[in-house]
């Protein structure tokens, strides 16, 4: 297969045989037939691969997962029913009650809640650090029971670019993996595994689907983290699993250990399985991801330049701008582009920001981002409204912040809509 990710978008994950469907088939089935009860028993023992119930695995889901795995340069991958489920599975697969996580404070509000509230109720604590922290501050966040480090390649909505190498080196010094949500740049613009990241997650709902049609998530394992070298930290992977007759994932499945355990245990017990039809739709949309990302990035740069030149806008954050504080990191880790999302400040307080959004015509107000259609959101009043003012500041989400997701319309039309809304309120 090609080394070019945009080609993998089209050709990866599925190679039909002679006379077979050129597009991947939809296996919209819950169950699968076997004539031998002995073979079915081997499937339940994980001693043989195959499909027996879609809550765990489905051929359509696996075909799309294989494409995403190839795009990211991983060794194994799985789909989940949402990006939130992907992040939860990636962390909970190696964290137990009494364990600890180090996480960037600049992450999506829903993920912050997942880690800071829900997982804390499950006995997993977290120390949040600024993505701009010094190496000494990052080092101080680790505890003897730390099991993972988590961050976002481009933070939603603060658009902070994570320094992969800094966080990976710290994680590996402490014998734990670095998990990164790569939703915003996608593997078209960024392949975190190449910079030391161990596990990559995605909300496929965003650019990978790109049409607001199906919620989903993905987890990709690099296969590079040596679980057995840190066996005492990760007993779930390195000691026998009594629920599967003593399987030791790290020994029995090698580089596929992490994904096999997440599938066999977490998907079995939590059932966060995507519907095959959703995976199929997302897989079809993936084929255009390469060309769509080019347009998203070009539009965002044009819009960011317009906003930066408008004196009514108090500030603009977009890593593609040469004077952006994260431009150097973006050039290092994603030299071909970042994403189509821009954050900017509208002065005047909550009422003025809301009025600006209400005057937009083509650009829709939506709890969504990274879509073919341009959309806008006021995070402090919606996705991050549960955070305190201090937490908002730590997450890089100010009271004046507007998140704009530039679609693939003509850039001039996006700019014209922004201008008329600004003219109406400022």
């Amino acid at each position: 297969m090609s080394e070019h990710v945009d080609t993998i978008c089209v050709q990866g994950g599925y190679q039909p045989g002679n006379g077979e469907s050129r597009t991947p088939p939809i296996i919209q089935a819950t169950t699968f037939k076997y004539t031998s009860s002995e073979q079915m028993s081997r499937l339940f023992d994980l001693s043989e691969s195959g499909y027996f119930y879609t809550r765990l695995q489905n051929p359509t889901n696996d075909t799309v997962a294989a494409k995403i795995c190839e795009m990211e340069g991983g060794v194994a991958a799985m789909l989940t029913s949402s990006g939130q489920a992907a992040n939860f599975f990636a962390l909970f697969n190696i964290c137990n009650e009494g364990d600890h996580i180090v996480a960037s404070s600049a992450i999506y509000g829903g993920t912050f809640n997942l880690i800071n509230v829900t997982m804390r109720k499950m006995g997993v604590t977290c120390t949040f650090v600024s993505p701009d922290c010094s190496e000494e501050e990052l080092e101080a966040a680790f505890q003897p029971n730390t099991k993972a480090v988590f961050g976002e390649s481009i933070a939603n909505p603060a658009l902070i670019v994570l320094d992969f190498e800094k966080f990976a080196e710290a994680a590996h010094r402490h014998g734990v993996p670095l998990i990164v949500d790569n939703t915003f740049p996608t593997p078209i613009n960024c392949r975190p595994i190449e910079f030391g990241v161990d596990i990559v997650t995605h909300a496929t709902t965003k650019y990978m689907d790109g049409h607001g049609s199906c919620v989903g998530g993905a987890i990709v394992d690099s296969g590079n983290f040596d679980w057995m070298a840190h066996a005492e930290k990760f007993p779930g992977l390195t000691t026998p699993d009594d629920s599967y007759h003593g399987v030791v994932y790290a020994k029995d499945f090698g580089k596929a250990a992490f994904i096999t355990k997440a599938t066999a245990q977490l998907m079995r017990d939590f059932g966060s399985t995507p519907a095959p039809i959703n995976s199929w739709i997302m897989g079809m949309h993936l084929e255009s991801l390469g060309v769509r990302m080019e347009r998203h990035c070009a539009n965002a740069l044009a819009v960011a330049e317009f906003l930066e030149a408008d004196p009514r806008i108090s500030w603009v954050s977009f890593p593609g701008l040469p004077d952006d504080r994260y431009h150097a990191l973006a050039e290092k880790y994603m030299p071909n582009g970042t994403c189509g999302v821009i954050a900017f400040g509208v002065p005047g307080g909550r009422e003025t920001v809301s009025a600006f959004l209400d005057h937009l015509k083509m650009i829709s107000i939506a709890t969504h981002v990274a879509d073919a259609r341009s959309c806008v959101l006021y995070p402090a009043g919606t996705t991050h409204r549960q955070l305190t003012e201090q937490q908002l500041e730590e997450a890089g989400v100010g009271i004046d912040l507007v998140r704009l997701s530039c679609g693939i319309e003509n850039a001039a039309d996006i700019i014209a809509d922004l201008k008329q809304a600004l003219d109406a309120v400022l």
Side-chain angles (χ1 to χ4, degrees):
M1 182 56 67
S2 172
E3 63 181 14
H4 300 288
V5 182
D6 47 359
T7 297
I8 297 171
C9 284
V10 182
Q11 298 286 346
Y14 173 73
Q15 295 300 320
N18 187 45
E20 294 180 345
S21 169
R22 186 61 192 88
T23 57
I26 308 170
I27 309 300
Q28 189 66 31
T30 60
T31 45
F32 304 85
K33 181 180 182 296
Y34 294 93
T35 56
S36 165
S37 58
E38 181 182 348
Q39 184 182 21
M40 182 68 81
S41 297
R42 292 197 297 270
L43 294 174
F44 274 87
D45 286 346
L46 303 183
S47 60
E48 184 175 315
S49 61
Y51 300 97
F52 51 90
Y53 198 54
T54 284
R55 192 180 80 231
L56 279 84
Q57 284 181 288
N58 174 281
T60 303
N61 294 346
D62 284 356
T63 295
V64 181
K67 183 193 289 279
I68 295 172
C69 184
E70 194 173 345
M71 290 166 63
E72 283 286 7
V75 299
M78 66 186 294
L79 299 187
T80 59
S81 57
S82 68
Q84 191 81 320
N87 285 331
F88 174 63
F89 277 23
L91 290 166
F92 199 62
N93 202 34
I94 51 177
C95 292
N96 297 312
E97 182 181 8
D99 287 341
H100 174 259
I101 297 165
V102 174
S104 167
S105 60
I107 54 177
Y108 166 59
T111 310
F112 185 94
N113 267 356
L114 167 68
I115 296 172
N116 191 51
V117 179
T118 302
M119 293 190 71
R120 196 176 292 275
K121 290 177 182 177
M122 302 169 79
V124 179
T125 59
C126 181
T127 298
F128 291 95
V129 297
S130 167
D132 299 326
C133 67
S134 66
E135 292 185 4
E136 292 74 20
E137 289 170 330
L138 181 55
E139 186 72 18
F142 286 85
Q143 300 177 7
N145 58 339
T146 300
K147 297 297 175 68
V149 178
F150 179 85
E152 294 177 354
S153 52
I154 300 179
N156 176 13
L159 300 182
I160 295 170
V161 177
L162 191 72
D163 190 340
F164 298 139
E165 292 179 349
K166 178 177 75 174
F167 277 78
E169 287 169 6
H172 297 159
R173 276 197 305 273
H174 290 270
V176 300
L178 173 59
I179 303 171
V180 167
D181 184 326
N182 195 36
T183 295
F184 269 14
T186 80
I188 294 296
N189 289 336
C190 179
R191 305 216 316 168
I193 290 171
E194 296 175 355
F195 301 100
V197 174
D198 301 290
I199 296 158
V200 175
T201 63
H202 284 276
T204 61
T205 318
K206 307 305 189 294
Y207 284 123
M208 285 189 169
D209 170 54
H211 295 77
S213 58
C214 44
V215 175
I219 308 173
V220 181
D221 183 16
S222 69
N224 294 332
F225 192 84
D226 189 344
W227 305 106
M228 292 305 299
H230 309 282
E232 73 287 350
K233 284 183 174 287
F234 305 103
L237 283 157
T238 61
T239 61
D241 179 359
D242 293 337
S243 69
Y244 278 108
H245 309 291
V247 162
V248 179
Y249 295 99
K251 289 183 177 178
D252 295 341
F253 297 98
K255 290 183 178 296
F258 184 87
I259 295 297
T260 301
K261 179 178 180 294
T263 301
Q265 285 187 351
L266 301 186
M267 198 62 86
R268 174 196 65 191
D269 296 341
F270 289 98
S272 299
T273 313
I277 183 63
N278 281 358
S279 298
W280 186 86
I281 292 169
M282 189 264 291
M284 292 295 100
H285 291 167
L286 266 176
E287 294 184 1
S288 66
L289 181 63
V291 292
R292 284 189 285 110
M293 287 306 293
E294 286 184 15
R295 184 61 172 262
H296 283 297
C297 292
N299 279 357
L301 181 59
V303 172
E305 290 172 343
F306 158 76
L307 292 169
E308 193 174 44
D310 193 313
R312 295 170 294 184
I313 300 300
S314 51
W315 57 270
V316 179
S317 178
F318 178 64
L321 288 171
D323 58 350
D324 188 89
R325 64 183 296 195
Y326 297 103
H327 184 70
L329 278 178
E331 286 285 290
K332 178 180 179 179
Y333 295 128
M334 40 199 90
N336 297 322
T338 54
C339 63
V341 183
I342 303 167
F344 59 96
V346 174
R350 289 179 182 267
E351 289 186 5
T352 303
V353 176
S354 297
F356 164 69
L357 266 62
D358 291 345
H359 277 86
L360 292 167
K361 297 177 180 178
M362 183 188 76
I363 302 169
S364 61
I365 301 173
T367 312
H368 191 38
V369 69
D371 191 81
R373 305 167 190 85
S374 292
C375 55
V376 69
L377 193 69
Y378 181 38
T382 54
T383 56
H384 289 66
R385 67 180 296 116
Q386 72 283 351
L387 272 61
T388 65
E389 288 194 13
Q390 180 180 344
Q391 289 172 332
L392 284 171
E393 183 178 345
E394 290 172 352
V397 183
I399 296 297
D400 63 342
L401 185 150
V402 172
R403 185 188 71 185
L404 170 65
S405 176
C406 296
I408 58 175
E409 306 95 346
N410 190 289
D413 291 324
I414 302 173
I415 291 170
D417 197 19
L418 291 168
K419 185 177 184 306
Q420 64 83 24
L422 288 169
D423 291 343
V425 299
L426 291 174

